[in-house]
Amino acid sequence: MADLGKELAEQQLFWKTLFEEKKLAPKLALLATVHVDGITYDDIPQYGQVHVLVQSASTLGDNFMSDTFTVSARLQRRYTTKTYRTFAKVLPSNLLLRQAAYESHTHHHEMHMYLHFFGLLREMHVGKTITLDVPDIYYVNIEEIVQDKTDGSGTCILLEDLSSQGYCMSDKFGGADYRHCHMALTSLAHYHALTLNAVRKWQDPSTGELSNLPHSAKFITQEKTIYELSAVQIAKDFSKRLIEFTQDVKRPDLAEWLQKLMDDRLSEVVLVDTVQSCGPLACILHGDFWNNNMLFKYADEAQQGGSESTDNIPVSLKLIDFQLSRVGHPVTDILYFMYASAKPEVRQHHMQGLLRHYFDTLTADLQLFGVALHYYTWQDFLNDYKKRSLMALFFGGLIMSMGLAKAVVSTMQHLDEEEHLKEPISKGTVNEGEKQEDEFSGKSASFEETLKNMMTSHELSDNPILADRLLKLITEVHSLHNSS
């Protein structure tokens, strides 16, 4: 264990030195596209000759709030050679997405999670057998955007490169099968148990507030995420898309039901939680828990006798992208994943069983911590599932639509071209109530408007895979709330 800690510290020091001395973050895109054979540095004497190779890890549209790269560095000094690898996230090169990511502080929030929150969890649970399935952090840097001075390109997060260990994304277009759902909910239950126990320790017993948060964890209550700031408007905007969709597929009954939800029951649809509103299950959510934000490792065919069926058997996973983590009820994460990522037939045949597996795993973990749920029962959990399914319909459906609608990618490229033609907003033209220069000094709109632009240029019914999964999801939630 001590050797692993020493190795991590050595890598952290190396990546910090390389990125700061060579100002590498703004150069990653250029290195990945022009210097495809890499670039060599001979002027970092403590590391000898360093050869850096950068490759793009995703394309525009796969990760809306970041551009991602894999970076490998070969250190050669005298007769020794060592290779380090990392997964790098920087602000998007797409200007519109960069503004949205910066304005919403998604990278700031995620850095706090990796740098501080996960460290606190590990310290609190030393010796426990419950796993925290997240990658190690190597280096982070925030470059604030200041008009005519800096553009935020120095902002970066360097994480453990999981791809070199055999981890990869699952098929988001086909949807998660039972095995993937089972593993995802197992890992999620462990994460929720760890954070629920932390919330219990940080609560003031007399008020229920998180008054005893360590200083490094205060961002959890002080920094509002995109969801907390924009949930109502996002739900309203996407509801219009869903209503249009149900009309396009000739389901006026579903269109009428969705309209009534937004007109009469908006407070039931959009739930912005507090510790108190979550009851005994208050925890720190992942917040964006769908298959684009988890990496799976699969069974080794050679060890399984070469059976073709082992290709798609996940054996472990890692969770990434904690940009929307916040106080909430665990069912919020569960349904976000099941509605955005799971195959409809998995929900149809296994939903109750998967929910039960999650609940049993969570309660077993909590028993190890000596945490009691008092009078909260399995039936209470099912009641919360039904209650929160309305919110999950809109936000899980939105994420599914963004993930499966390939038209979003070309739309964002077109909007980016338009954005570059705009004049920057000068300090003197900012209207009362808009963000001031110390908060953001970009060219245009809010995160909500960026999201709306991403979705409004195409019909949800145009994509047959998306249309089928979306219609089945709406029908499923409608039946849940209208069955006797």
Side-chain angles (χ1 to χ4, degrees):
M1 186 66 70
D3 289 341
L4 291 176
K6 180 180 178 182
E7 174 68 15
L8 175 60
E10 288 178 356
Q11 289 210 46
Q12 289 171 333
L13 179 60
F14 166 73
W15 289 113
K16 175 181 170 65
T17 302
L18 178 65
F19 268 70
E20 291 186 352
E21 288 196 12
K22 298 304 174 184
K23 301 191 184 309
L24 205 58
K27 302 174 183 176
L28 293 180
L30 182 66
L31 290 174
T33 55
V34 178
H35 298 280
V36 293
D37 294 325
I39 188 169
T40 300
Y41 297 106
D42 294 309
D43 54 350
I44 312 178
Q46 64 269 43
Y47 295 111
Q49 185 183 78
V50 180
H51 184 75
V52 178
L53 183 66
V54 181
Q55 296 176 309
S56 295
S58 64
T59 57
L60 177 64
D62 282 348
N63 192 335
F64 294 113
M65 292 292 101
S66 307
D67 284 348
T68 56
F69 304 89
T70 57
V71 185
S72 62
R74 187 180 70 247
L75 289 62
Q76 189 165 353
R77 188 175 185 183
R78 294 183 181 176
Y79 304 108
T80 62
T81 301
K82 184 179 291 187
T83 300
Y84 290 145
R85 294 181 176 87
T86 189
F87 177 79
K89 301 174 65 175
V90 297
L91 288 180
S93 56
N94 181 295
L95 185 57
L96 205 65
L97 294 178
R98 174 177 294 206
Q99 291 164 353
Y102 180 80
E103 177 186 307
S104 56
H105 276 210
T106 55
H107 286 69
H108 301 62
H109 193 82
E110 184 173 24
M111 288 178 187
H112 286 314
M113 290 293 292
Y114 281 109
L115 278 179
H116 306 303
F117 184 68
F118 296 149
L120 289 170
L121 288 184
R122 291 187 175 102
E123 290 173 10
M124 292 174 66
H125 305 109
V126 171
K128 300 297 183 183
T129 57
I130 299 171
T131 59
L132 178 61
D133 296 323
V134 300
D136 287 327
I137 187 82
Y138 292 150
Y139 174 66
V140 301
N141 182 60
I142 285 288
E143 179 184 88
E144 303 296 347
I145 295 180
V146 179
Q147 190 171 343
D148 299 327
K149 294 182 180 179
T150 56
D151 62 1
S153 60
T155 294
C156 63
I157 303 175
L158 303 188
L159 300 168
E160 178 183 6
D161 178 29
L162 299 173
S163 63
S164 63
Q165 302 173 37
Y167 287 90
C168 60
M169 285 186 181
S170 62
D171 177 14
K172 68 180 179 183
F173 294 101
D177 61 17
Y178 174 81
R179 291 180 184 273
H180 286 80
C181 290
H182 190 277
M183 175 156 285
L185 294 185
T186 301
S187 182
L188 184 65
H190 293 328
Y191 171 74
H192 284 161
L194 293 168
T195 66
L196 189 154
N197 185 45
V199 167
R200 292 287 185 94
K201 291 182 181 299
W202 295 335
Q203 273 184 288
D204 185 316
S206 60
T207 65
E209 300 287 345
L210 290 179
S211 305
N212 300 320
L213 278 169
H215 180 74
S216 61
K218 288 187 181 296
F219 73 94
I220 291 170
T221 56
Q222 294 175 350
E223 294 182 0
K224 300 300 181 184
T225 65
I226 296 168
Y227 179 85
E228 293 159 297
L229 294 172
S230 307
V232 172
Q233 190 58 51
I234 292 172
K236 286 181 177 179
D237 291 338
F238 188 61
S239 71
K240 297 174 184 176
R241 306 279 292 142
L242 280 187
I243 292 168
E244 291 172 358
F245 167 75
T246 52
Q247 291 169 339
D248 288 344
V249 296
K250 312 303 181 186
R251 289 297 305 269
D253 57 324
L254 297 179
E256 181 181 1
W257 175 66
L258 291 170
Q259 189 64 62
K260 285 184 177 180
L261 283 180
M262 300 310 295
D263 291 343
D264 304 332
R265 300 170 61 186
L266 183 60
S267 61
E268 297 177 51
V269 172
V270 182
L271 302 174
V272 179
D273 280 320
T274 63
V275 174
Q276 291 81 358
S277 72
C278 295
L281 289 190
C283 68
I284 307 301
L285 300 175
H286 178 285
D288 195 15
F289 191 70
W290 70 297
N291 57 5
N292 214 48
N293 292 336
M294 58 190 75
L295 301 174
F296 291 90
K297 194 172 189 177
Y298 294 91
D300 184 345
E301 278 194 305
Q303 295 179 355
Q304 298 289 336
S307 170
E308 293 182 4
S309 63
T310 64
D311 272 350
N312 202 39
I313 299 177
V315 294
S316 63
L317 67 73
K318 295 286 186 179
L319 308 178
I320 58 174
D321 284 2
F322 290 82
Q323 299 168 344
L324 299 182
S325 297
R326 60 189 186 276
V327 170
H329 192 289
V331 169
T332 301
D333 271 346
I334 296 169
L335 291 185
Y336 190 94
F337 169 73
M338 292 301 295
Y339 286 2
S341 299
K343 292 176 180 288
E345 55 267 29
V346 171
R347 295 197 306 271
Q348 180 183 358
H349 298 297
H350 302 290
M351 190 67 164
Q352 288 275 321
L354 287 167
L355 289 173
R356 185 78 216 198
H357 166 69
Y358 169 90
F359 186 77
D360 290 346
T361 304
L362 178 73
T363 52
D365 285 354
L366 293 177
Q367 286 177 0
L368 295 177
F369 297 135
V371 173
L373 296 182
H374 302 297
Y375 301 106
Y376 189 90
T377 66
W378 164 241
Q379 186 57 52
D380 294 325
F381 187 74
L382 290 180
N383 293 340
D384 281 327
Y385 149 59
K386 180 176 180 179
K387 172 184 175 182
R388 293 171 182 275
S389 63
L390 294 175
M391 176 174 63
L393 166 61
F394 286 93
F395 288 92
L398 171 63
I399 295 302
M400 184 207 307
S401 301
M402 292 171 61
L404 298 183
K406 294 182 178 180
V408 171
V409 176
S410 58
T411 297
M412 290 314 300
Q413 292 171 335
H414 175 69
L415 291 172
D416 184 45
E417 294 171 1
E418 292 183 351
E419 194 69 12
H420 279 282
L421 299 176
K422 294 181 180 179
E423 291 295 327
I425 300 173
S426 67
K427 187 174 181 180
T429 62
V430 175
N431 296 324
E432 185 177 356
E434 293 183 352
K435 292 186 178 296
Q436 297 300 312
E437 188 175 13
D438 59 344
E439 293 179 324
F440 182 68
S441 56
K443 293 184 179 180
S444 68
S446 65
F447 174 82
E448 297 96 316
E449 185 171 336
T450 300
L451 196 60
K452 187 188 300 185
N453 287 336
M454 293 168 71
M455 294 302 300
T456 55
S457 62
H458 62 283
E459 300 296 331
L460 297 176
S461 56
D462 287 347
N463 182 320
I465 297 176
L466 172 59
D468 177 67
R469 286 177 58 179
L470 201 53
L471 180 59
K472 287 177 178 175
L473 174 59
I474 300 169
T475 303
E476 176 184 329
V477 179
H478 176 264
S479 298
L480 178 63
H481 285 266
N482 290 275
S483 58
S484 57

